[in-house]
Amino acid sequence: MLFVDKLVLYFNLLCFNLLIYSTSDVVHAQLLQGIPSTRVKQVAYGKTIAVTCSPDSTTTAIDLKWYGPNQYFPASNEKYLIKSKALMPLEEDGSSSRIYTEPNGNRLKLIISEIQSIDTGTYNCTGRVTNIPSSWSFELQAFVGLKVEADGQQILVHGENSKIHCSVTAQPPPETSWYFNNNYIDTQASSRYEVVTDGLIVYGVGFGDNGTYECQGTELTTGDTDKKRITVKVVTRPVMAVAPVNTTGVQSRDAQILCSVNSVPPPTYRWYLGNSMDYGAEVGTIADHNRYRPSSTDGTLTITNVQLGDEKWYWCEGRNEADNVFGKAFFEVQMIPTFERSLNLNNTETREGNKAIMICQCEAKPNPKMRFHRVGYAAPYVNGVQPNDSRINIYEKPSSASHENQEIIPQEVVIEIENTTPNDTANYTCIAENSAGRNETTMIIIIQHQPNFDLTPPSLLTQCIWEEHPRNVTVLLSGFPQPSVSWARSDGKQISPDQTAFKQYFEPYWENGRRDEWMANLEINWEVTKGGIQGQYNPVGNYFPKASNNLGAVDFTINVVEAQLPGRVGGLNVTAKTAQSITLFARPPVEENCIPVIGFEIMYKLHGTNDVHQIALFPLDAGSSMKIDNLKSGSSYSVLVYARNERGRGEYSNSKIIETLQSTVPEVVSITSSTESLSNVSHQVVWEMPLDGGEPITQYLVSWREVGATVWNSREISSGSLWWTIPNLQPDTTYEVMVQARNRKGLSAKPNPPSTFRTRPGSTGPSAGRFSNLSLSVEIHYLVIIGVIGLFIILVAIDMICFCSRDWGLLACICTGTSSSPKHPVGDIISLDGADSVTTAGSRDPATHGQENKVYQ
């Protein structure tokens, strides 16, 4: 019975406890509190909140726990238990949990960071205080707080309606204000601006809109304020200024594709390889990209060492912060004609009379125009049968050869010659030309034929030899295969190659481009004497070269004669003479000789003396007129002339006595200077040196006067000068001027009429003084006044000197003659030509070398 009573008692106690825990605030004693203590906490999204659960200061709490939202009593439901940060597992991204607890002695802090909408609800803290269960809870409410978000660097597009982006959010909705360079933007007063939810629209953007903008948000209920500063740059959209155009490049050369884009700021450029519809891969990323050199500044794409595979579509992109723009062009690659040795480039060789065929092949893109040109002919052959030689036919055709690039089809040109002759042997140039360029190669047609001496010109049929002069006897011949040449003398004896008296040479003579032409030489080295060569053989006579090959042989004859010295010069005549020179004319000797006269030589001497002079050779190509200079006037000379050829000089002409003319005054002097002066107060006279009349010129006399005047001014000038400047002239005035030359015989004649010149006006003359163009001006009046004052001071000074030295005044000095009479008269009279008189002037000039001015009347 006792056991049953105890069991009933425990059951009653259990029920009582369950009743306590099942009644919340009524049963749970309010022994816990929150710090802060508000039961409803309103926090902005993204913020962090910390709430501490704590007993009062006089009690102690144990087993404190925080439970999250949506939990139901009893509080022991562990599903919503918030653990300590140290015990919380990491999130999937490796970060810590946003909601956790931190014990702090007798307290437990709840931390909720970066609040989100799922975090809202009731949070409950439970524990035991003095062994009595207790709890405290609060409700978390989240709202949108004031937030201003914007990029610090933005752009506006010039000429458009463009937006500066700025997001201002809050709950309740905030107020947004804008500032430009610290000045408030009143959207009510200006229609250029409009505030929208996500920013500020600027209408008709101009470059003046560059600057700093400020986006400011204000939450009116709380007074919260936030702002962002934004630096705005006005840009223009890229515009294609020079669009890429289809371009042609040449293989192995460099090429450029142009592209130019206008924008502010300047764009950056990129180039792409693609097709007509798609810009494809950037050139810097493809194989062999080092050959592609895009410019980042001016848009030009340079392709170096162009290859056939570069033939593609190329895209140019110009980009800045506002936009980008594309342009495309097709790049065509051409190939200059090339002649590969692997192609058919064989020379042709056939016998005379047979048909010759020669083929020339080349590779090119696009297909070339091909033709043949015989070396030495003025113009290439035309394709087809030749109008002037129906034996020759030329035609083009595609080749059967192939190229690794299927777009390139080798081409060939064929030349066919019927009934060939030796004259068909020549170098033939194969020419291939297309829009990429021109190329050519030389091929050879050789016609086999027996030798002949047709190439030897008539001038070589007779050849010269003389004493101690080795001579090459030369013949020219043709033949193929290469012929051999043997020589025989006029007595019929063969000249063997090992004979020391003769040397034989044989070499190609391909000056005309023919490979069947040859030159044979026989060098004769024996001394020529009247009795023959070493008493055995006279080299003068006929020589017989013989040429032969497997197709035949031919003989030829060369006549070797002894060269003679020139004969006597005939027809020696005097064609002109002066006081110091003689000019002669001579005719070459009239005679048969194998070497020509190449000129004359002169020997002369003053008649009656032994002082012989010799003048070097006068070449015939300068004519047969010869001049002897630097002779004495009025003197007789003995003159001999002889002709010279390659062997030596011939007989003297008969001696001729020739007398030079008597010396005279110099010829009339010719003035070459301009008739318009460069100055208004001076003039430079320039003249030519005249013939001196057989006597050296010692000086020049320059004379000048105003037109209409009777008096000549003059100045004597050294003979070493051919110019002089006349000073002290009047502006805008015409003068007469003449120059006379003087030698031992006297002055040259006056020119008739004299030359004239005119000085420049005073206002523009480069050497005019300050007052040279003033007439009755203020400056002249000032100058006169200054002159009068200066003259007065000079007279006063002279008067004082006279008084101090002689006790006389100025007037007494003048009247009694304070200075002695001049030793010379004012003018010296000299004779010019019997008509004029000369008065000496007082001025001097360094150019006269001490001579005095002369004044002619």
Side-chain angles (χ1 to χ4, degrees):
M1 185 65 182
L2 181 60
F3 174 74
V4 175
D5 292 337
K6 289 182 179 180
L7 185 60
V8 172
L9 178 61
Y10 283 126
F11 179 75
N12 291 333
L13 289 173
L14 178 60
C15 291
F16 178 77
N17 287 334
L18 289 175
L19 180 61
I20 291 175
Y21 280 103
S22 62
T23 60
S24 57
D25 290 339
V26 178
V27 176
H28 281 212
Q30 294 297 313
L31 301 178
L32 293 177
Q33 61 183 356
I35 304 174
S37 60
T38 55
R39 292 286 187 157
V40 177
K41 302 188 181 298
Q42 294 181 336
V43 183
Y45 286 112
K47 300 293 185 179
T48 299
I49 186 174
V51 180
T52 300
C53 180
S54 171
D56 61 28
S57 60
T58 60
T59 57
T60 300
I62 61 173
D63 199 19
L64 292 177
K65 296 178 181 179
W66 276 102
Y67 292 90
N70 303 320
Q71 56 94 8
Y72 298 96
F73 289 106
S76 59
N77 190 341
E78 297 298 318
K79 178 179 179 180
Y80 302 103
L81 177 65
I82 300 174
K83 299 180 180 179
S84 171
K85 182 176 183 180
L87 300 177
M88 296 286 284
L90 296 177
E91 302 290 344
E92 293 182 359
D93 60 359
S95 61
S96 300
S97 176
R98 296 183 299 102
I99 304 174
Y100 56 90
T101 60
E102 287 184 355
N104 183 11
N106 200 31
R107 301 176 179 183
L108 183 63
K109 180 186 294 184
L110 171 65
I111 299 172
I112 307 172
S113 58
E114 300 176 9
I115 292 174
Q116 302 176 7
S117 59
I118 61 174
D119 300 333
T120 58
T122 300
Y123 288 80
N124 189 45
C125 174
T126 64
R128 299 179 65 83
V129 180
T130 61
N131 205 28
I132 299 174
S134 182
S135 66
W136 183 86
S137 63
F138 71 92
E139 182 181 354
L140 176 61
Q141 296 178 356
F143 64 93
V144 178
L146 180 63
K147 192 172 186 180
V148 178
E149 296 177 304
D151 291 335
Q153 303 287 333
Q154 296 188 40
I155 64 169
L156 293 175
V157 180
H158 185 273
E160 299 183 9
N161 303 331
S162 195
K163 182 188 296 183
I164 305 173
H165 294 274
C166 179
S167 174
V168 181
T169 56
Q171 192 64 36
E175 180 182 83
T176 303
S177 302
W178 283 87
Y179 296 83
F180 175 52
N181 291 338
N182 296 322
N183 295 315
Y184 174 71
I185 297 176
D186 187 352
T187 58
Q188 300 298 321
S190 174
S191 61
R192 291 195 62 238
Y193 303 96
E194 179 183 355
V195 178
V196 294
T197 304
D198 57 348
L200 175 70
I201 297 177
V202 181
Y203 291 95
V205 173
F207 288 112
D209 294 318
N210 276 304
T212 302
Y213 290 77
E214 187 175 285
C215 171
Q216 179 176 297
T218 303
E219 209 285 292
L220 298 179
T221 59
T222 62
D224 286 348
T225 300
D226 196 6
K227 60 185 177 181
K228 290 288 185 181
R229 294 179 69 86
I230 305 168
T231 300
V232 171
K233 179 171 60 176
V234 176
V235 302
T236 62
R237 293 190 186 276
V239 176
M240 189 65 69
V242 178
V245 297
N246 295 345
T247 304
T248 299
V250 178
Q251 184 184 28
S252 300
R253 297 181 182 174
D254 294 350
Q256 288 186 333
I257 307 176
L258 302 181
C259 176
S260 179
V261 174
N262 291 339
S263 72
V264 178
T268 57
Y269 292 89
R270 292 181 182 177
W271 282 88
Y272 303 87
L273 289 174
N275 53 47
S276 60
M277 302 300 295
D278 183 17
Y279 59 81
E282 189 173 355
V283 294
T285 63
I286 65 173
D288 200 20
H289 63 83
N290 290 331
R291 292 192 302 105
Y292 299 93
R293 298 176 182 174
S295 170
S296 61
T297 56
D298 64 5
T300 301
L301 174 65
T302 300
I303 306 175
T304 62
N305 189 24
V306 169
Q307 303 299 312
L308 293 174
D310 295 332
E311 188 168 278
K312 293 182 176 68
W313 283 92
Y314 289 79
W315 291 68
C316 169
E317 178 193 22
R319 172 188 295 272
N320 69 3
E321 298 99 318
D323 205 350
N324 65 340
V325 63
F326 281 97
K328 64 180 179 178
F330 186 74
F331 182 62
E332 177 189 0
V333 179
Q334 297 185 350
M335 178 182 176
I336 297 176
T338 58
F339 303 96
E340 299 292 342
R341 288 300 164 184
S342 59
L343 299 176
N344 192 344
L345 289 175
N346 297 323
N347 298 330
T348 296
E349 183 178 320
T350 188
R351 283 198 176 190
E352 183 178 2
N354 292 345
K355 181 179 182 179
I357 300 176
M358 187 165 63
I359 301 174
C360 173
Q361 291 183 344
C362 83
E363 298 170 341
K365 181 177 179 291
N367 289 338
K369 172 69 176 176
M370 299 184 68
R371 59 190 187 274
F372 275 108
H373 184 186
R374 177 168 172 164
V375 175
Y377 281 23
Y381 289 125
V382 297
N383 286 2
V385 177
Q386 303 309 298
N388 298 326
D389 191 344
S390 60
R391 299 177 307 116
I392 303 175
N393 184 27
I394 297 174
Y395 55 91
E396 296 179 82
K397 66 175 184 176
S399 173
S400 59
S402 61
H403 190 273
E404 60 183 7
N405 188 320
Q406 296 181 357
E407 295 184 12
I408 298 177
I409 301 175
Q411 301 291 305
E412 63 185 32
V413 61
V414 182
I415 180 171
E416 295 180 350
I417 306 177
E418 302 280 355
N419 301 319
T420 55
T421 68
N423 189 52
D424 295 323
T425 296
N427 290 338
Y428 293 80
T429 300
C430 175
I431 303 171
E433 188 172 11
N434 64 6
S435 56
R438 170 189 168 115
N439 204 353
E440 59 185 45
T441 186
T442 299
M443 306 171 71
I444 304 170
I445 293 179
I446 301 177
I447 307 303
Q448 298 176 0
H449 63 95
Q450 74 173 33
N452 64 69
F453 289 93
D454 297 344
L455 296 176
T456 302
S459 61
L460 293 181
L461 297 180
T462 299
Q463 302 186 31
C464 294
I465 191 170
W466 61 90
E467 185 177 2
E468 296 179 348
H469 178 75
R471 182 67 188 185
N472 282 333
V473 179
T474 302
V475 291
L476 303 177
L477 64 153
S478 67
F480 199 88
Q482 176 180 327
S484 60
V485 177
S486 61
W487 293 82
R489 302 188 306 204
S490 57
D491 59 1
K493 293 182 179 181
Q494 292 290 318
I495 300 174
S496 63
D498 57 352
Q499 283 186 268
T500 58
F502 301 93
K503 292 182 180 180
Q504 299 183 36
Y505 303 94
F506 187 85
E507 59 188 36
Y509 184 74
W510 295 346
E511 293 185 1
N512 297 321
R514 291 180 53 170
R515 299 301 178 95
D516 65 340
E517 296 180 350
W518 318 92
M519 181 172 62
N521 293 283
L522 179 68
E523 183 180 307
I524 305 172
N525 288 327
W526 286 354
E527 180 182 0
V528 178
T529 64
K530 187 175 182 180
I533 299 178
Q534 298 178 350
Q536 299 178 16
Y537 178 72
N538 191 332
V540 175
N542 290 332
Y543 287 79
F544 304 102
K546 181 177 183 178
S548 59
N549 64 10
N550 63 338
L551 298 178
V554 64
D555 294 313
F556 200 58
T557 301
I558 295 291
N559 184 27
V560 177
V561 298
E562 181 181 0
Q564 304 297 322
L565 292 172
R568 186 185 297 268
V569 174
L572 182 61
N573 299 314
V574 178
T575 59
K577 60 181 180 178
T578 67
Q580 293 179 312
S581 67
I582 299 171
T583 303
L584 304 172
F585 177 82
R587 294 190 184 92
V590 181
E591 59 185 19
E592 293 292 333
N593 201 346
C594 64
I595 54 176
V597 172
I598 58 177
F600 300 97
E601 293 187 18
I602 299 176
M603 295 182 66
Y604 67 96
K605 66 175 183 176
L606 187 64
H607 192 59
T609 69
N610 294 321
D611 188 12
V612 179
H613 301 273
Q614 184 169 346
I615 298 180
L617 180 70
F618 287 91
L620 278 180
D621 59 6
S624 301
S625 183
M626 300 166 285
K627 186 178 181 182
I628 308 173
D629 288 313
N630 301 318
L631 303 178
K632 292 183 178 180
S633 62
S635 302
S636 297
Y637 286 86
S638 298
V639 181
L640 297 174
V641 179
Y642 54 84
R644 175 178 285 278
N645 62 16
E646 189 178 352
R647 184 171 183 181
R649 66 186 183 187
E651 299 180 52
Y652 289 109
S653 65
N654 294 326
S655 177
K656 195 174 186 70
I657 306 300
I658 306 171
E659 184 176 356
T660 57
L661 299 178
Q662 295 291 334
S663 60
T664 64
V665 297
E667 297 290 334
V668 175
V669 179
S670 175
I671 293 178
T672 60
S673 52
S674 172
T675 59
E676 295 292 334
S677 297
L678 298 178
S679 169
N680 62 343
V681 294
S682 64
H683 178 72
Q684 186 182 78
V685 185
V686 182
W687 60 90
E688 294 180 343
M689 179 182 290
L691 295 176
D692 59 12
E695 297 288 344
I697 294 174
T698 57
Q699 62 183 199
Y700 294 97
L701 185 67
V702 180
S703 304
W704 72 96
R705 68 182 179 185
E706 290 187 24
V707 172
T710 59
V711 178
W712 286 92
N713 300 287
S714 73
R715 181 65 60 87
E716 292 178 344
I717 307 300
S718 167
S719 61
S721 178
L722 294 175
W723 64 273
W724 184 67
T725 300
I726 305 174
N728 304 323
L729 303 178
Q730 294 299 316
D732 200 19
T733 304
T734 302
Y735 288 84
E736 293 179 313
V737 63
M738 62 181 177
V739 179
Q740 295 171 274
R742 186 190 300 277
N743 65 7
R744 191 172 60 87
K745 294 290 186 176
L747 277 171
S748 62
K750 295 180 179 180
N752 188 21
S755 299
T756 61
F757 67 87
R758 187 172 185 84
T759 53
R760 294 172 65 90
S763 60
T764 58
S767 59
R770 179 182 177 189
F771 304 106
S772 61
N773 195 35
L774 301 178
S775 177
L776 299 178
S777 64
V778 176
E779 286 84 352
I780 287 292
H781 293 167
Y782 287 151
L783 184 61
V784 171
I785 294 172
I786 293 172
V788 171
I789 294 173
L791 180 62
F792 177 77
I793 294 173
I794 292 172
L795 293 175
V796 171
I798 294 174
D799 182 64
M800 293 179 66
I801 292 172
C802 289
F803 180 80
C804 294
S805 61
R806 300 189 180 185
D807 295 330
W808 295 341
L810 175 62
L811 183 60
C813 285
I814 294 174
C815 293
T816 58
T818 58
S819 59
S820 58
S821 299
K823 294 182 180 180
H824 303 284
V826 175
D828 292 335
I829 307 301
I830 65 172
S831 175
L832 179 64
D833 55 6
D836 296 337
S837 61
V838 182
T839 302
T840 303
S843 63
R844 296 182 178 271
D845 188 90
T848 65
H849 301 280
Q851 301 297 323
E852 294 181 340
N853 249 2
K854 310 289 183 182
V855 180
Y856 292 84
Q857 294 182 342

